[in-house]
Amino acid sequence: MPSNVMQNTHRSTRLIMIQKGISKGLPIMMGYLPVAITYGVLAKQAGMSLFELTLMSVLVFAGASQFMGAGMIAIGTGAIEIIIATFVLNFRHFVMSLSFMNRLRGIGLNWKVPLSLGITDELFTVASIHSDEAKQDKGVYFYTALILTGYFSWVFGSFLGGVLGDVIPEALSQSMGVALYAMFIGLLIPSVKKELKFGMIAIIAMLTNAIFSQFLDVGWAIVVGTLVGGATGIFLLKEDKA
Amino acid sequence: MILLIIIGMAIVTAIPRVVPAYIVDKVNFPNWINRWLNAIPYAALGALIFPGILSVKPDQPHVGLLGGLIAIILAFLGFNIILIVIGSIATVYFLTF
């Protein structure tokens, strides 16, 4: 039965993509769980109910802004100020989404729109480092599995933090704050080993961010750093590269 | 009131994420913009790592820096990313113990 055989290969390619997406999502899960638990603890202390703090993770799904939001709720900041500050802090995802969506040109809007909602710093960078899947058959399942792994870790961790309170010992939770940075480094270095210019792009972005963070909000400084660093790529990268 | 704040935060976070999906569906970029966008992941990694890593332990910037240095070394040696993360966490843990 040729049609049966084809169906089976299709199904197994999809399964392989899903497994690959989950496995590439594991480091993100490791980074997200402790951070999300910490968020849950802080949000509870800020006076949010378990339902509210979990709902924020479900609907907003952007770590730094949720910490900020919970903190601002705790000190009684007005809604408009919190929402504007969130926009500023999360605007960097526009730049990231534009880069990621540009890679997914061959994929329909019905996939692109839900995938775009899953763009966080961590998921964007992991997805981008694995850019080959964008061109592969069933590659969209890779990105979906990757993003859902990160998403469920974040939502589940927030809920857990809200339920259990301070479960992670202070020294350990502080040490785990380095996890996501270590992951970013672990993503960057292999690319630098292949092509030194990726390191140059990153260093220019670092320096630009360091300079602009002296007088801009963190959110805008990261946007400027990312755009300026990326702009050097116009001259450094070749057409088919990266 | 908190519900309203959450919904507002969700909307202003979702819009910048979703709009690019529609942009790339409508507009074809010239090559130089494609090169720019292809370099964005590396630039974003740079901007996300530094100077943020200095604030892992806010009053002791060297702690985050050393955790990062261990991550760089392990990454150059070709370790799996999970081991890089664990090595970096362990470094910070022993420095702050």
Side-chain angles (χ1 to χ4, degrees):
Chain A
M1 290 289 211
S3 71
N4 237 339
V5 170
M6 231 166 69
Q7 221 171 19
N8 276 332
T9 15
H10 264 286
R11 194 174 301 140
S12 63
T13 329
R14 192 188 311 173
L15 200 66
I16 288 165
M17 283 296 180
I18 291 172
Q19 283 168 342
K20 203 169 160 197
I22 293 172
S23 89
K24 296 297 174 190
L26 288 182
I28 298 183
M29 183 187 275
M30 267 183 67
Y32 272 3
L33 277 175
V35 179
I37 291 171
T38 312
Y39 155 76
V41 173
L42 291 178
K44 197 75 190 291
Q45 287 164 358
M48 293 168 69
S49 70
L50 186 61
F51 173 73
E52 288 165 344
L53 69 87
T54 310
L55 185 72
M56 192 189 267
S57 286
V58 169
L59 293 180
V60 180
F61 188 41
S65 66
Q66 291 182 225
F67 274 94
M68 185 195 67
M72 288 172 96
I73 287 171
I75 56 171
T77 316
I80 302 292
E81 280 137 291
I82 297 178
I83 292 165
I84 291 173
T86 302
F87 176 76
V88 169
L89 190 56
N90 289 340
F91 188 75
R92 64 183 186 280
H93 295 146
F94 175 80
V95 181
M96 296 179 188
S97 179
L98 198 57
S99 169
F100 184 45
M101 290 298 127
N102 197 36
R103 289 222 182 264
L104 297 185
R105 273 183 181 276
I107 293 164
L109 263 182
N110 56 334
W111 283 103
K112 282 207 295 270
V113 169
L115 286 175
S116 76
L117 286 169
I119 289 180
T120 61
D121 301 339
E122 296 76 19
L123 290 164
F124 164 71
T125 46
V126 172
S128 298
I129 295 296
H130 299 95
S131 60
D132 291 340
E133 278 77 1
K135 293 177 220 100
Q136 288 168 1
D137 183 36
K138 305 284 172 203
V140 73
Y141 288 94
F142 167 79
Y143 297 114
T144 305
L146 173 72
I147 286 175
L148 287 179
T149 304
Y151 183 70
F152 286 126
S153 316
W154 181 253
V155 172
F156 176 68
S158 314
F159 175 79
L160 213 59
V163 174
L164 300 176
D166 252 323
V167 277
I168 303 181
E170 165 85 19
L172 192 59
S173 76
Q174 198 163 38
S175 315
M176 286 183 145
V178 81
L180 293 175
Y181 293 110
M183 192 192 75
F184 290 141
I185 292 170
L187 290 172
L188 182 59
I189 299 295
S191 308
V192 176
K193 274 167 82 177
K194 257 182 263 160
E195 296 244 23
L196 209 57
K197 51 193 169 189
F198 294 139
M200 287 176 61
I201 292 168
I203 287 173
I204 288 165
M206 287 183 189
L207 297 177
T208 311
N209 182 24
I211 293 165
F212 278 84
S213 59
Q214 302 299 314
F215 48 89
L216 287 183
D217 275 327
V218 186
W220 289 127
I222 292 179
V223 169
V224 175
T226 303
L227 286 175
V228 171
T232 59
I234 300 172
F235 310 101
L236 289 173
L237 298 188
K238 289 186 208 80
E239 211 46 58
D240 49 328
K241 277 284 163 200
Chain B
M1 193 56 184
I2 292 181
L3 277 183
L4 205 74
I5 292 173
I6 292 171
I7 291 166
M9 287 174 73
I11 293 170
V12 298
T13 304
I15 290 173
R17 283 173 172 167
V18 169
V19 167
Y22 292 93
I23 294 178
V24 302
D25 220 48
K26 297 273 176 297
V27 191
N28 266 309
F29 296 130
N31 284 330
W32 66 273
I33 291 191
N34 285 327
R35 289 202 298 277
W36 191 351
L37 292 175
N38 287 345
I40 289 293
Y42 308 101
L45 282 170
L48 290 168
I49 293 166
F50 190 84
I53 196 164
L54 300 177
S55 59
V56 167
K57 193 162 165 53
D59 49 334
Q60 289 174 283
H62 72 274
V63 170
L65 220 47
L66 286 171
L69 192 68
I70 294 296
I72 291 174
I73 293 168
L74 293 177
F76 258 105
L77 294 175
F79 279 94
N80 179 286
I81 195 152
I82 299 215
L83 294 174
I84 296 171
V85 170
I86 291 172
S88 189
I89 291 174
T91 307
V92 172
Y93 186 74
F94 287 117
L95 283 172
T96 53
F97 195 62

